[in-house]
DNA sequence: AATGCACTAGTACGCATGTGCTAGTGGAGA
DNA sequence: TCTCCACTAGCACATGCGTACTAGTGCATT
């Protein structure tokens, strides 16, 4: 921890939630009292910090209109030398693995304890981050690999035909998987499955199925 | 602010996100240095604090398996005398109005500034809280009232028939509204609409749409 | 070798969904 | 008054969706 390259000089904290961002900032300050820490609010804030060149990037972030992997790649492209920690609420191990394979160095759930958050931001690429990854229960634990791929696409609003195209299998086969997913989630329709699998955005830790938001 | 009844003795902070909860705790401490403040993690934590009898309740909370209004009513029933502030990410003014009509005293977005959060927790039932309500853009701004009611039910995974039953109108009429909503959100299927309207949960502050994921 | 399971692909059937029409009512505003 | 618009209700048609079958392949375990 006291090696030269594991001690970031510049830390960028990017998150749209003001209070959470502040808390992350404080935590980063606690971990690295000497570092210069900046905050960025959303995509625009991130764009405004292109010259900051942080060593460590703590971010809850998706490129507008793009998916997780694309966003991860974009981040890596923008910050090729930074240690990028995604602090978010992705509940799917598969997506986490995907972003970890595409530019993001570490992932921590927003529900994680301080300890885990600190561990993530003090870890470096040389160290083990497996322990830092996801610490939330995955409701899809009982699903097969294919079923998870299908539900991942389903919650994007994709039709069976589209899912089939993506996975390069028959729409008939997709229906098999969808059907199994519905049974697993104990719902009747794909929309209900999407809602249940997606969470509602209001309180990721507490199950629910009412309402929400989000635009485009 | 210095009247006797506006100064809470006991404050309960309930939120599943540990760091955010801590930050809320700190903020509450800043607002009311003398108060006894407790934290609760999720539904279970809330249940464990039934004897605490807080004057002020800062909560991001839904009853498991129940909707916003039911949760609000439950909260009010559990804490009949508390000043209940919902700190969450509900983006729909209508749902906010509904919970405000059913037990919750005030709502603040998680994206709000400290100032707004402080304002909400220092407000009392006698004061104006209109200014404290929602400060996030509602992607459904252009929708009619009925359309919002429909999308609210749609994102619960309800079928047209179920929506019709709830709103006490014909399923044919529901289809009219659903169709309008799909056009408005620029999607082809109700599932895609639900996803788009629900957000993806990964980064509530940054718009997106191509992808998503999410557990519960 | 045999069993189990995931994955694949198909058919058939029934209901749900989404669109495009027509049409009536009531309220707000010019 | 006349117009605009939200809301209501229906019909027709095409497509999507979900379930219940059958069936074959490949892999891992016993």
């Amino acid at each position: 921890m006291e090696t030269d390259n594991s001690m970031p000089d510049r830390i960028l904290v990017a998150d749209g939630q003001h209070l959470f961002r502040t808390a992350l900032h404080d935590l980063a300050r606690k971990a690295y009292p000497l570092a210069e820490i900046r905050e960025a609010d959303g995509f625009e804030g991130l764009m405004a910090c292109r010259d900051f060149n942080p060593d460590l990037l703590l971010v809850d972030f998706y490129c507008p209109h793009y998916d997780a992997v694309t966003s991860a790649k974009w981040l890596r492209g923008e910050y090729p030398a930074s240690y990028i920690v995604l602090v978010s609420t992705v509940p799917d191990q598969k997506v986490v693995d995907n972003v970890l394979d595409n530019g993001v160095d570490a992932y921590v759930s927003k529900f994680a304890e301080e300890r885990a958050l600190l561990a993530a931001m003090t870890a470096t690429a040389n160290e083990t981050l497996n322990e830092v990854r996801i610490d939330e229960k995955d409701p899809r634990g009982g699903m097969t690999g294919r079923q998870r791929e299908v539900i991942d696409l389903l919650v994007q609003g994709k039709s069976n035909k589209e899912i089939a195209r993506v996975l390069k299998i028959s729409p008939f086969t997709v229906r098999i998987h969808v059907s199994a997913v519905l049974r697993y989630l104990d719902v009747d329709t794909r929309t209900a499955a999407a809602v249940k699998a997606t969470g509602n955005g209001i309180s990721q830790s507490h199950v629910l199925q009412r309402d929400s938001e989000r635009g485009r």
Side-chain angles (χ1 to χ4, degrees), chain A:
Chain A
M1 203 62 53
E2 55 274 64
T3 56
D4 47 352
N5 61 344
S6 68
M7 205 64 167
D9 294 320
R10 286 173 304 284
I11 303 177
L12 181 56
V13 179
D15 189 337
Q17 294 186 349
H18 177 265
L19 192 55
F20 195 93
R21 188 173 66 236
T22 303
L24 261 186
H25 184 150
D26 293 344
L27 209 57
R29 164 86 44 224
K30 191 189 285 186
Y32 302 109
L34 302 178
E36 179 185 356
I37 303 178
R38 275 198 211 172
E39 295 188 16
D41 186 2
F43 182 71
E44 297 75 13
L46 211 52
M47 294 304 283
C49 292
R50 305 182 78 167
D51 55 339
F52 183 48
N53 192 27
D55 308 301
L56 176 60
L57 183 56
L58 307 175
V59 59
D60 180 355
F61 166 75
Y62 268 48
C63 290
H65 309 296
Y66 286 99
D67 64 21
V69 170
T70 307
S71 301
K73 286 179 179 169
W74 181 87
L75 268 179
R76 178 46 74 204
E78 285 292 302
Y79 302 94
S82 304
Y83 187 72
I84 301 176
V85 179
L86 180 63
V87 183
S88 192
T89 49
V90 190
D92 182 3
Q93 184 66 56
K94 199 177 150 298
V95 174
V96 171
D97 288 339
N98 275 340
V99 296
L100 288 174
D101 287 341
N102 282 281
V104 168
D105 291 307
Y107 169 81
V108 201
S109 166
K110 275 198 174 180
F111 299 109
E113 305 278 325
E114 272 199 17
R115 185 192 47 72
L117 285 160
L118 278 170
M121 66 177 72
T122 54
T124 69
N126 313 326
E127 301 180 19
T128 69
L129 10 122
N130 289 331
E131 32 176 334
V132 190
R133 283 150 92 113
I134 202 156
D135 42 48
E136 289 308 299
K137 52 283 157 194
D138 184 353
R140 294 172 249 188
M143 292 192 195
T144 69
R146 217 43 164 170
Q147 283 165 16
R148 287 184 219 190
E149 291 182 299
V150 168
I151 184 69
D152 279 346
L153 293 162
L154 192 152
V155 299
Q156 295 172 36
K158 286 188 166 31
S159 69
N160 287 345
K161 207 179 290 184
E162 292 173 312
I163 296 174
R165 202 159 35 237
V166 173
L167 298 182
K168 296 189 206 307
I169 57 179
S170 158
F172 301 109
T173 307
V174 173
R175 284 199 296 181
I176 303 280
H177 295 310
V178 170
S179 208
V181 166
L182 298 192
R183 231 175 300 125
Y184 178 80
L185 292 177
D186 194 30
V187 292
D188 294 324
T189 68
R190 65 198 298 108
T191 307
V195 173
K196 199 158 186 174
T198 295
N200 41 36
I202 206 199
S203 174
Q204 310 264 340
S205 55
H206 317 111
V207 199
L208 98 94
Q209 47 222 71
R210 162 124 187 93
D211 158 71
S212 9
E213 81 259 277
R214 195 55 351 66
R216 43 190 71 200

